[in-house]
Amino acid sequence: MPNTPLATPLAPPLATSPTLSPPASGHAEGVTNDEFRAAMSRLAAGVVLVTAQEPSLDPDDPQAPVGEDVGMTATAFMSVSLDPPLVLVSLREGSRMDDVLAEQPLWAVSVLSESQRHIAGRFAMKGRLSDRLLFQDIPYVRGEATGAPLVGGALAILECHTEQRVQAGDHVLVIGRVLTASLPSADGGPLTYFRGRYRHLG
């Protein structure tokens, strides 16, 4: 009598979960823009000024004038690696600084002190004046490694060269190798940003 294969039991139907509708506003994951902003505002952050000098209009001509100095207040800044020394700054895609750093690999970061709130506010304004006017009455020196403005009285200064650019949603993460690091000022504490306001420790 021929062998007949054993009948295999049918697997139970897979349970299906009801389709979740995205919220009326916000992202498909369920968090709204306002909820996300409110949650992240509870994370205290240091405040820095990112600066760069626009590249020359004609890089092949050493006599060609360079572009304007550019500055941007940032709180999304962090160290990434010690060996090699790397830092990261997050830039809004299509912003002035993003456009400049897409062409200019050299930039700098000035870690602002609690007495430099006016500098942070000035470079964070919407509909602000030209960068040339913003730098006019701010004491700064030009970095030897980058040519970027380095703010006088900052707690720390880092000059960087872009190693990598990573697209992340509506921002670009710029990872830079630190070329020089210095501590020009030991006075005062850091300027911080918490719950939508500039603050200082203490």
Side-chain angles (χ1 to χ4, degrees), residues 30 39 51 101 104 179 181 199:
T51 55
L101 294 193
Q104 168 63 280
L179 304 175
R199 303 171 187 264

Side-chain angles (χ1 to χ4, degrees), residues 30-67:
V31 62
T32 68
N33 290 347
D34 289 343
E35 289 169 342
F36 182 62
R37 286 194 189 98
M40 296 310 297
S41 73
R42 267 57 175 182
L43 177 63
V47 183
V48 303
L49 185 69
V50 182
T51 55
Q53 187 178 61
E54 285 183 311
S56 172
L57 300 178
D58 185 357
D60 296 327
D61 180 3
Q63 303 301 320
V66 296

